[in-house]
Amino acid sequence: GETSVVPPCDDNDVLAAPKNSDDLAQCESSLLASDGDGTWIVRLSDPLSPPILAKLTLDDASWTWQILTKPSPDVPPPKGAYWGCISLPGEEESLVVGSSVVLRPAADVEVKGVILLPHGGPHTTSTAQFFASTRLFLEMGYAVILANYRGSLGFGRQLQMQLPGNVGRLDVRDCVAALESGMKKMDIDDALPKAIFGGSHGGFLGAHLVGQHADLFKAAILRNPVTNLVSMASTTDIPDWCCVEAFGKPADVEQQPSARMGDGSFPPSPEALARLHEVSPIAHVDNVKTPILLLLGSGDERVPVEQGLQYRRALAMRGQDVETYQYDGEGHSLAKPQTEFECLSHTIRFLDEKM
C-alpha cells in the first residue's frame, strides 16, 4: 500500500488540554525525550484515541502542549463512547487491589456483550492507552474491561507480591471482580454474553476462568496461553517464572527443600509436580463448557506451543468446542503484520459466531 507521511503541525496547533496533572491523569503518556531544560517530547493517547506526538514545555509553572504529529488517517473517537476506571476492593474495606479500565459504546448503541481482557505478565499493567483491538471491539458493539489484578504493577509492592504463590486463585478472583464491577459501572445488564480475551498470563487466566467459572463466558480467545506448568517448567526459557509464580517468593521456596525448584534444580520433586499441576488451568479442564479459540506461535520460547496443543488435545478428547490456529515462525507476541491481521480476523468471526 501507499506510505503516508504526516507533516508536523504548525506552531499555532496547541492542545487546549491537558493543562495540568489532573488532565494528564486522564490519558496515557510516555516520555520519549527531554532537552533537560523544561521541554519534553511525549506520546499521548487514551483508550478511544490513537497516539499523538506532542511537545510539552514547562514555563513559570504552567504547561504548554504542542501537537507535533497526528495519526494518519486521523480516527476520531466513537461518538458518545465512554471510558473510565474502576477500583477493586479487597477483602479488607481499606484495601484496593487494583484499578481497571472500562470502555462502553455510546448510550444509544445496543451493547452486544462484554469482553474481559486481562493483561499478561503477570507483573505488568493495563493502562489507559490506545489498542486497535479494543477500539475494534468497541466499534463492534462490545463493552471492554481491561483488568488489572493483584500482581499488576503500579499499585504498590505489597499488592504486587501477593500474587506469587497464589496464581490461579487471587488473580482469577480479581478478574471476576473486575468483570462484575465494570459491568455495574457501565450499567450493563448482567445477562448479556461475556467473552474472555487474553495472551500469555492473560491466556492462563482465560483458561482458568472457563474452568473455574464454567457458565460465565460464551467465548474464550487465548493467545499462546500458559496451560500446564508441569511441562512448561522444563520447556520454557524462563523456568524461574514457574517457580516463583507457583511456589511464592524464592525465600519461601527455600523453606520447602522437598519442592526442589527454588534453586533451579531439576527434575522437580513429586511434591513440586503436584503443586505445578494444582495451579495450572489444565487441572480444571473437565469443567470447561466454553467454546475456545487458540492462537499459537510455533516458535514461542516463552510459552512453548505445546502448552496450547496440550490444552487443545485435552479439550478435544472431552468433546469440547475448540479451534486452533498455529503460525509457523511466530514467537510469543504473534506480531507479524499478516499474523496479527489473521488473528484479529479469526477473533472477530469467533465472537460473531459464539456470542
Side-chain angles (χ1 to χ4, degrees), residues 116-120 126 145-147 149 175 196-199 201-203 205-206 209:
L116 179 67
L117 204 163
H119 61 75
S126 291
I145 299 172
L146 305 175
Y149 43 84
C175 283
I196 178 78
F197 177 97
H201 192 83
L205 286 169
L209 283 160

Side-chain angles (χ1 to χ4, degrees), residues 3 22 37 79 83 93-94 100 135 137 148 175 189 191 215 297 317:
T3 300
D22 290 336
D37 193 29
K79 186 177 180 180
W83 76 271
E93 190 172 337
S94 61
S100 295
R135 171 67 185 267
F137 296 152
N148 287 309
C175 283
D189 185 354
D215 298 314
M317 289 178 66

Side-chain angles (χ1 to χ4, degrees), residues 257-276:
S258 64
R260 213 162 63 208
M261 284 285 288
D263 59 1
S265 58
F266 189 84
S269 69
E271 295 88 350
L273 292 173
R275 174 60 181 166
L276 291 168

Side-chain angles (χ1 to χ4, degrees), residues 28 175 211 242:
E28 187 272 342
C175 283
C242 300

Side-chain angles (χ1 to χ4, degrees), residues 111-323:
V111 179
K112 295 167 60 176
V114 182
I115 299 176
L116 179 67
L117 204 163
H119 61 75
H123 304 297
T124 58
T125 191
S126 291
T127 62
Q129 65 177 301
F130 179 83
F131 293 102
S133 56
T134 54
R135 171 67 185 267
L136 178 59
F137 296 152
L138 197 67
E139 297 278 5
M140 293 172 64
Y142 293 107
V144 180
I145 299 172
L146 305 175
N148 287 309
Y149 43 84
R150 271 171 285 195
S152 301
L153 300 181
F155 306 102
R157 183 166 177 79
Q158 178 185 359
L159 291 177
Q160 176 191 342
M161 297 310 298
Q162 284 185 13
L163 187 59
N166 291 296
V167 290
R169 187 171 66 88
L170 295 185
D171 44 2
V172 171
R173 183 189 305 171
D174 291 346
C175 283
V176 173
L179 179 63
E180 294 173 347
S181 298
M183 294 183 67
K184 183 177 181 180
K185 169 80 172 180
M186 295 184 286
D187 193 25
I188 291 176
D189 185 354
D190 186 60
L192 285 176
K194 306 166 188 68
I196 178 78
F197 177 97
S200 193
H201 192 83
F204 170 89
L205 286 169
H208 261 300
L209 283 160
V210 297
Q212 296 187 40
H213 300 271
D215 298 314
L216 187 55
F217 296 97
K218 293 293 186 182
I221 299 94
L222 311 181
R223 297 165 55 100
N224 286 328
V226 176
T227 64
N228 185 355
L229 272 72
V230 173
S231 59
M232 183 171 164
S234 57
T235 57
T236 179
D237 63 349
I238 51 167
D240 53 318
W241 181 91
C242 300
C243 168
V244 171
E245 301 301 343
F247 296 96
K249 295 178 289 186
D252 296 335
V253 179
E254 289 168 4
Q255 297 171 16
Q256 307 173 48
S258 64
R260 213 162 63 208
M261 284 285 288
D263 59 1
S265 58
F266 189 84
S269 69
E271 295 88 350
L273 292 173
R275 174 60 181 166
L276 291 168
H277 176 75
E278 179 186 359
V279 302
S280 297
I282 207 161
H284 305 280
V285 71
D286 287 335
N287 304 326
V288 176
K289 303 177 184 177
T290 305
I292 293 175
L293 172 63
L294 292 169
L295 303 170
L296 312 174
S298 61
D300 191 351
E301 297 181 356
R302 185 62 36 89
V303 181
V305 68
E306 52 85 13
Q307 289 289 296
L309 295 179
Q310 280 187 56
Y311 197 55
R312 181 202 62 79
R313 184 174 186 179
L315 291 167
M317 289 178 66
R318 289 160 175 79
Q320 296 304 318
D321 185 352
V322 56
E323 288 185 31

